[in-house]
Coordinates of all heavy atoms in Angstrom, one line a residue:
M409 N -13.7 11.6 8.6 CA -12.3 11.2 9.0 C -11.4 12.1 8.0 O -11.7 12.2 6.8 CB -12.1 9.8 8.7 CG -10.7 9.4 8.6 SD -10.5 7.6 8.3 CE -10.4 7.5 6.5
Y410 N -10.4 12.7 8.7 CA -9.5 13.4 7.8 C -8.6 12.5 7.0 O -8.0 11.5 7.6 CB -8.6 14.3 8.7 CG -9.3 15.6 9.1 CD1 -9.9 15.7 10.4 CD2 -9.4 16.6 8.3 CE1 -10.5 16.9 10.7 CE2 -10.1 17.8 8.6 CZ -10.7 17.9 9.8 OH -11.3 19.0 10.2
V411 N -8.5 12.7 5.8 CA -7.6 12.0 4.9 C -6.4 12.8 4.6 O -5.2 12.2 4.7 CB -8.4 11.7 3.5 CG1 -7.4 11.0 2.6 CG2 -9.5 10.7 3.8
C412 N -6.5 14.0 4.3 CA -5.4 14.9 4.0 C -5.2 15.9 5.1 O -6.0 16.9 5.3 CB -5.7 15.6 2.7 SG -4.3 16.8 2.2
L413 N -4.2 15.7 5.9 CA -4.0 16.6 7.0 C -3.4 17.9 6.6 O -3.6 18.9 7.2 CB -3.1 15.9 8.0 CG -3.6 14.6 8.7 CD1 -2.6 14.0 9.6 CD2 -4.9 14.9 9.4
C414 N -2.7 17.9 5.5 CA -2.0 19.1 5.0 C -3.1 20.1 4.6 O -2.9 21.3 4.9 CB -1.1 18.9 3.8 SG 0.3 17.9 4.2
R415 N -4.2 19.7 4.1 CA -5.2 20.6 3.5 C -6.6 20.5 4.3 O -7.5 21.2 3.9 CB -5.5 20.3 2.1 CG -4.2 20.4 1.1 CD -3.7 21.8 1.1 NE -2.6 21.8 0.1 CZ -1.4 22.4 0.4 NH1 -1.2 23.1 1.5 NH2 -0.4 22.4 -0.5
G416 N -6.6 19.6 5.3 CA -7.8 19.5 6.1 C -9.0 18.9 5.3 O -10.1 19.4 5.4
I417 N -8.7 17.9 4.4 CA -9.7 17.3 3.6 C -10.2 16.0 4.1 O -9.3 15.1 4.5 CB -9.2 17.1 2.1 CG1 -8.6 18.4 1.5 CG2 -10.2 16.5 1.2 CD1 -9.6 19.5 1.4
T418 N -11.4 15.8 4.2 CA -12.0 14.5 4.7 C -12.4 13.6 3.7 O -12.5 13.9 2.5 CB -13.3 14.8 5.6 OG1 -14.3 15.3 4.7 CG2 -13.0 15.9 6.7
D419 N -12.7 12.3 4.1 CA -13.1 11.3 3.1 C -14.5 11.7 2.5 O -14.7 11.5 1.3 CB -13.2 9.9 3.8 CG -14.2 9.9 4.9 OD1 -14.3 10.9 5.7 OD2 -14.8 8.8 5.1
R420 N -15.3 12.4 3.3 CA -16.6 12.9 2.8 C -16.3 14.0 1.7 O -17.0 13.9 0.7 CB -17.5 13.5 3.9 CG -18.8 14.1 3.4 CD -19.6 14.5 4.5 NE -20.1 13.4 5.2 CZ -21.0 13.4 6.2 NH1 -21.5 14.6 6.6 NH2 -21.5 12.3 6.8
D421 N -15.4 14.9 1.9 CA -15.1 15.8 0.9 C -14.7 15.2 -0.5 O -15.1 15.5 -1.5 CB -13.9 16.7 1.3 CG -14.2 17.6 2.5 OD1 -15.4 18.0 2.7 OD2 -13.3 17.8 3.3
I422 N -13.8 14.1 -0.3 CA -13.3 13.4 -1.5 C -14.5 12.7 -2.2 O -14.7 12.7 -3.4 CB -12.2 12.4 -1.1 CG1 -11.0 13.3 -0.6 CG2 -11.8 11.5 -2.3 CD1 -9.9 12.5 -0.1
R423 N -15.3 11.9 -1.3 CA -16.4 11.3 -2.0 C -17.4 12.2 -2.7 O -18.0 11.9 -3.7 CB -17.2 10.4 -0.9 CG -16.4 9.3 -0.4 CD -17.2 8.5 0.6 NE -16.4 7.7 1.5 CZ -15.8 6.6 1.2 NH1 -16.0 6.1 0.1 NH2 -15.1 5.9 2.2
N424 N -17.6 13.4 -2.1 CA -18.5 14.4 -2.7 C -17.9 14.8 -4.0 O -18.6 15.0 -5.0 CB -18.7 15.6 -1.8 CG -19.7 15.3 -0.7 OD1 -20.5 14.4 -0.7 ND2 -19.6 16.1 0.3
A425 N -16.6 15.1 -4.1 CA -15.9 15.4 -5.3 C -16.1 14.4 -6.4 O -16.3 14.7 -7.6 CB -14.4 15.8 -5.1
I426 N -15.9 13.1 -6.0 CA -16.1 12.0 -6.9 C -17.5 12.0 -7.4 O -17.8 11.9 -8.6 CB -15.7 10.7 -6.2 CG1 -14.2 10.7 -5.9 CG2 -16.1 9.5 -7.2 CD1 -13.7 9.6 -5.0
H427 N -18.4 12.2 -6.5 CA -19.9 12.2 -6.9 C -20.2 13.3 -7.9 O -21.1 13.2 -8.7 CB -20.7 12.3 -5.6 CG -22.2 12.2 -5.9 ND1 -22.8 11.0 -6.2 CD2 -23.2 13.2 -5.9 CE1 -24.2 11.3 -6.4 NE2 -24.3 12.6 -6.2
E428 N -19.5 14.4 -7.7 CA -19.6 15.6 -8.6 C -18.9 15.5 -9.9 O -18.8 16.4 -10.7 CB -19.3 16.9 -7.8 CG -20.3 17.1 -6.7 CD -19.8 18.2 -5.8 OE1 -18.8 18.8 -6.0 OE2 -20.6 18.5 -4.8
G429 N -18.2 14.4 -10.1 CA -17.6 14.2 -11.4 C -16.0 14.0 -11.4 O -15.5 13.7 -12.4
A430 N -15.4 14.1 -10.3 CA -13.9 14.0 -10.2 C -13.6 12.5 -10.6 O -14.2 11.6 -10.0 CB -13.3 14.3 -8.9
N431 N -12.8 12.2 -11.6 CA -12.5 10.8 -12.0 C -11.1 10.5 -12.0 O -10.8 9.5 -12.7 CB -13.2 10.6 -13.3 CG -12.7 11.5 -14.4 OD1 -11.7 12.2 -14.2 ND2 -13.4 11.5 -15.5
S432 N -10.2 11.2 -11.4 CA -8.8 10.9 -11.4 C -8.2 11.5 -10.2 O -8.8 12.5 -9.6 CB -8.0 11.4 -12.6 OG -8.0 12.7 -12.6
L433 N -7.1 11.0 -9.7 CA -6.3 11.6 -8.6 C -6.0 13.1 -8.9 O -6.2 14.0 -8.0 CB -5.1 10.8 -8.3 CG -4.3 11.3 -7.1 CD1 -5.1 11.3 -5.8 CD2 -3.0 10.4 -6.9
A434 N -5.6 13.3 -10.1 CA -5.2 14.7 -10.5 C -6.4 15.6 -10.4 O -6.3 16.8 -10.0 CB -4.6 14.7 -11.9
D435 N -7.6 15.1 -10.8 CA -8.8 15.9 -10.7 C -9.2 16.2 -9.3 O -9.6 17.4 -8.9 CB -9.9 15.1 -11.4 CG -11.1 15.9 -11.8 OD1 -11.1 17.2 -11.6 OD2 -12.1 15.4 -12.4
I436 N -9.0 15.2 -8.4 CA -9.3 15.5 -7.0 C -8.3 16.5 -6.4 O -8.7 17.4 -5.6 CB -9.2 14.1 -6.2 CG1 -10.4 13.3 -6.6 CG2 -9.3 14.4 -4.7 CD1 -10.4 11.8 -6.1
E437 N -7.1 16.3 -6.8 CA -6.0 17.3 -6.4 C -6.4 18.7 -6.8 O -6.3 19.6 -6.0 CB -4.7 16.9 -6.8 CG -4.1 15.6 -6.2 CD -2.8 15.2 -6.8 OE1 -2.4 15.7 -7.7 OE2 -2.3 14.2 -6.2
Q438 N -6.8 18.8 -8.0 CA -7.1 20.2 -8.6 C -8.4 20.7 -7.9 O -8.4 21.9 -7.5 CB -7.4 20.1 -10.0 CG -7.6 21.4 -10.7 CD -7.7 21.3 -12.2 OE1 -8.0 20.3 -12.8 NE2 -7.4 22.4 -12.9
R439 N -9.4 19.9 -7.6 CA -10.6 20.4 -7.0 C -10.5 20.8 -5.6 O -11.0 21.7 -5.1 CB -11.7 19.4 -7.2 CG -12.3 19.2 -8.6 CD -13.2 18.1 -8.7 NE -13.6 17.7 -10.0 CZ -14.8 17.7 -10.5 NH1 -15.8 18.0 -9.7 NH2 -15.1 17.4 -11.7
L440 N -9.8 19.9 -4.8 CA -9.8 20.0 -3.4 C -8.4 20.4 -2.8 O -8.3 20.9 -1.7 CB -10.1 18.7 -2.7 CG -11.5 18.1 -3.1 CD1 -11.7 16.8 -2.4 CD2 -12.6 19.1 -2.7
G441 N -7.4 20.2 -3.6 CA -6.0 20.5 -3.0 C -5.5 19.3 -2.3 O -4.3 19.3 -1.8
A442 N -6.3 18.2 -2.1 CA -5.8 17.0 -1.4 C -4.6 16.4 -2.2 O -4.7 16.3 -3.4 CB -6.9 16.0 -1.3
G443 N -3.6 16.1 -1.5 CA -2.4 15.4 -2.1 C -1.4 16.5 -2.6 O -0.4 16.1 -3.2
T444 N -1.7 17.7 -2.5 CA -0.8 18.7 -3.0 C 0.2 19.3 -2.0 O 1.0 20.2 -2.3 CB -1.5 19.9 -3.7 OG1 -2.3 20.5 -2.6 CG2 -2.4 19.5 -4.8
G445 N 0.2 18.7 -0.8 CA 1.2 19.1 0.2 C 2.3 18.1 0.2 O 3.1 18.0 -0.7
C446 N 2.3 17.3 1.3 CA 3.4 16.3 1.4 C 3.2 15.1 0.5 O 4.1 14.3 0.3 CB 3.4 15.8 2.9 SG 2.0 14.8 3.4
G447 N 1.9 14.9 0.1 CA 1.6 13.7 -0.8 C 1.3 12.4 -0.1 O 1.0 11.5 -0.7
G448 N 1.4 12.5 1.2 CA 1.2 11.3 2.0 C -0.3 10.7 1.9 O -0.5 9.6 2.3
C449 N -1.2 11.5 1.5 CA -2.6 11.0 1.4 C -3.0 10.4 0.0 O -4.0 10.0 -0.2 CB -3.6 12.1 1.8 SG -3.4 13.5 0.6
R450 N -2.1 10.5 -0.9 CA -2.4 10.1 -2.3 C -2.8 8.7 -2.4 O -3.7 8.4 -3.2 CB -1.2 10.4 -3.2 CG -1.0 11.9 -3.5 CD 0.1 12.1 -4.5 NE 0.1 13.5 -4.9 CZ 1.1 14.0 -5.5 NH1 2.2 13.3 -5.8 NH2 1.1 15.4 -5.8
D451 N -2.1 7.8 -1.8 CA -2.5 6.3 -1.9 C -3.9 6.1 -1.4 O -4.7 5.4 -2.1 CB -1.5 5.4 -1.1 CG -0.2 5.3 -1.9 OD1 -0.1 5.7 -3.1 OD2 0.8 4.8 -1.2
F452 N -4.2 6.7 -0.3 CA -5.6 6.5 0.3 C -6.6 7.1 -0.6 O -7.7 6.6 -0.8 CB -5.6 7.0 1.7 CG -6.9 6.6 2.4 CD1 -7.1 5.3 2.9 CD2 -7.9 7.5 2.6 CE1 -8.2 4.9 3.6 CE2 -9.1 7.1 3.2 CZ -9.2 5.8 3.7
T453 N -6.3 8.3 -1.1 CA -7.3 9.0 -2.0 C -7.5 8.2 -3.2 O -8.6 8.1 -3.7 CB -6.7 10.4 -2.3 OG1 -6.5 11.1 -1.1 CG2 -7.7 11.2 -3.2
S454 N -6.4 7.6 -3.8 CA -6.6 6.7 -5.0 C -7.5 5.6 -4.6 O -8.3 5.2 -5.4 CB -5.2 6.2 -5.4 OG -4.5 7.3 -6.0
R455 N -7.3 5.0 -3.4 CA -8.2 3.8 -3.0 C -9.6 4.3 -2.9 O -10.5 3.5 -3.3 CB -7.7 3.2 -1.8 CG -6.6 2.1 -2.1 CD -6.2 1.3 -0.8 NE -5.0 1.9 -0.4 CZ -4.6 2.2 0.9 NH1 -5.4 1.9 1.8 NH2 -3.5 2.7 1.1
L456 N -9.9 5.4 -2.3 CA -11.3 5.9 -2.3 C -11.9 6.1 -3.7 O -13.0 5.7 -3.9 CB -11.3 7.3 -1.5 CG -11.2 7.3 0.0 CD1 -11.2 8.7 0.5 CD2 -12.3 6.5 0.6
L457 N -11.1 6.6 -4.6 CA -11.5 6.8 -5.9 C -11.8 5.4 -6.6 O -12.9 5.2 -7.2 CB -10.5 7.5 -6.8 CG -10.8 7.7 -8.2 CD1 -12.0 8.6 -8.4 CD2 -9.6 8.4 -8.9
E458 N -10.9 4.5 -6.5 CA -11.1 3.1 -7.1 C -12.4 2.5 -6.4 O -13.2 1.9 -7.2 CB -9.9 2.3 -6.8 CG -8.7 2.7 -7.7 CD -7.4 2.1 -7.3 OE1 -7.5 1.1 -6.4 OE2 -6.4 2.5 -7.7
D459 N -12.5 2.6 -5.1 CA -13.7 1.9 -4.5 C -15.0 2.6 -5.0 O -15.9 1.9 -5.3 CB -13.6 2.1 -3.0 CG -12.6 1.2 -2.3 OD1 -12.1 0.3 -3.1 OD2 -12.3 1.4 -1.2
S460 N -15.0 3.9 -5.1 CA -16.2 4.6 -5.6 C -16.5 4.2 -7.0 O -17.7 4.0 -7.4 CB -16.0 6.1 -5.5 OG -16.0 6.5 -4.2
Q461 N -15.5 4.1 -7.9 CA -15.7 3.7 -9.3 C -16.2 2.3 -9.4 O -17.1 2.0 -10.2 CB -14.4 4.0 -10.1 CG -14.1 5.4 -10.3 CD -12.7 5.7 -10.9 OE1 -11.8 4.9 -10.8 NE2 -12.6 6.8 -11.6
R462 N -15.6 1.4 -8.6 CA -16.0 0.0 -8.5 C -17.5 -0.1 -8.1 O -18.3 -0.8 -8.7 CB -15.1 -0.8 -7.6 CG -15.1 -2.2 -7.9 CD -14.0 -3.0 -7.1 NE -12.7 -2.5 -7.4 CZ -11.8 -2.0 -6.6 NH1 -12.1 -2.0 -5.3 NH2 -10.6 -1.7 -6.9
R463 N -17.8 0.7 -7.1 CA -19.2 0.6 -6.6 C -20.2 1.1 -7.6 O -21.2 0.5 -7.8 CB -19.3 1.5 -5.3 CG -20.6 1.3 -4.6 CD -20.6 2.0 -3.2 NE -19.5 1.7 -2.4 CZ -18.6 2.5 -2.0 NH1 -18.6 3.7 -2.3 NH2 -17.6 2.1 -1.2
E464 N -19.8 2.2 -8.3 CA -20.7 2.7 -9.4 C -20.9 1.7 -10.5 O -22.0 1.5 -11.1 CB -20.1 4.0 -9.9 CG -20.4 5.2 -9.0 CD -19.9 6.5 -9.5 OE1 -19.6 6.5 -10.8 OE2 -19.7 7.4 -8.8
A465 N -19.8 1.0 -10.9 CA -19.9 0.0 -12.0 C -20.8 -1.2 -11.5 O -21.6 -1.6 -12.4 CB -18.5 -0.6 -12.3
V466 N -20.7 -1.6 -10.3 CA -21.6 -2.7 -9.8 C -23.0 -2.2 -9.8 O -23.9 -2.9 -10.2 CB -21.1 -3.1 -8.4 CG1 -22.2 -4.0 -7.8 CG2 -19.8 -3.8 -8.5
E467 N -23.3 -1.0 -9.4 CA -24.6 -0.5 -9.4 C -25.2 -0.3 -10.8 O -26.3 -0.7 -11.0 CB -24.7 0.9 -8.7 CG -24.5 0.8 -7.2 CD -24.3 2.2 -6.5 OE1 -24.3 3.2 -7.2 OE2 -24.1 2.2 -5.3
A468 N -24.3 0.1 -11.8 CA -24.8 0.2 -13.2 C -25.1 -1.2 -13.7 O -26.1 -1.4 -14.4 CB -23.7 0.8 -14.0
L469 N -24.3 -2.2 -13.3 CA -24.6 -3.6 -13.8 C -25.9 -4.1 -13.2 O -26.7 -4.8 -13.9 CB -23.5 -4.5 -13.4 CG -22.2 -4.4 -14.3 CD1 -21.1 -5.3 -13.7 CD2 -22.5 -4.8 -15.8
A470 N -26.1 -3.9 -11.9 CA -27.3 -4.3 -11.2 C -28.5 -3.6 -11.9 O -29.6 -4.2 -12.1 CB -27.2 -4.0 -9.7
Y471 N -28.4 -2.3 -12.2 CA -29.5 -1.6 -12.8 C -29.8 -2.1 -14.2 O -31.0 -2.3 -14.6 CB -29.1 -0.1 -12.9 CG -30.2 0.8 -13.5 CD1 -31.4 1.1 -12.8 CD2 -30.1 1.2 -14.8 CE1 -32.3 1.9 -13.3 CE2 -31.1 1.9 -15.4 CZ -32.2 2.3 -14.7 OH -33.2 3.1 -15.2
A472 N -28.7 -2.5 -15.0 CA -29.0 -3.0 -16.3 C -29.6 -4.4 -16.3 O -30.4 -4.7 -17.2 CB -27.6 -3.0 -17.0
A473 N -29.3 -5.1 -15.3 CA -29.8 -6.5 -15.1 C -31.3 -6.5 -14.7 O -32.0 -7.5 -14.8 CB -29.0 -7.4 -14.2
A474 N -31.7 -5.4 -14.0 CA -33.0 -5.3 -13.5 C -34.1 -5.1 -14.5 O -33.9 -4.8 -15.6 CB -33.2 -4.2 -12.4
Ligands
LIG1922 S1 -1.6 14.7 3.9 FE1 -2.4 15.3 2.0 S2 -0.8 16.4 1.0 FE2 -0.1 15.9 3.0

């Protein structure tokens, strides 16, 4: 699904950037250009980032508890 129409960036592109180490909205903007046009995708991109970070934290806790 396209998240950033200005730059043609998909949710998969953003998730891949996060997986490769992007850890802030500014980092995602720098790596992909998402959010650097009209800015209309920034809120959704931030939510994707927060969801991914939350998921990684839960997985780390589950791994530590195992
Ligand atoms: S939709 Fe992403 S900058 Fe415009």
